Amino acid sequence: TQQSQLKGAEWPSEDCMKMTVGAMGQQIGCRATVSDSNVHAIVDLPGFLGLFAGKIRDVIQQEAPKLLK
């Protein structure tokens, strides 16, 4: 099973993170805006990965809180 891999991350401001994730041979751009009460993420899914948007959203909702600890 091929796993996703963080290719790069940066914090252009204290409440915004940009990152690139490699998954299934594709590069996926992500942006997250962090506030006191929540995190709003935008994930740019290329082509066929849009078919997996629901599953990807579920993984992000499960795993993202671990990054904020």
Side-chain angles (χ1 to χ4, degrees):
T1 303
Q2 185 179 11
Q3 296 198 355
S4 60
Q5 181 179 23
L6 182 64
K7 301 287 186 176
E10 62 181 57
W11 288 87
S13 67
E14 67 181 32
D15 61 351
C16 180
M17 181 176 77
K18 292 183 178 182
M19 64 183 148
T20 303
V21 177
M24 300 176 72
Q26 301 290 313
Q27 298 297 310
I28 303 168
C30 310
R31 295 176 306 284
T33 303
V34 181
S35 70
D36 290 337
S37 61
N38 65 25
V39 175
H40 179 82
I42 297 173
V43 180
D44 301 320
L45 295 175
F48 77 96
L49 288 180
L51 298 172
F52 302 100
K55 290 184 180 202
I56 293 169
R57 181 194 63 232
D58 294 344
V59 170
I60 291 170
Q61 287 177 332
Q62 179 182 352
E63 298 297 323
K66 296 174 186 176
L67 297 172
L68 299 174
K69 292 183 180 183

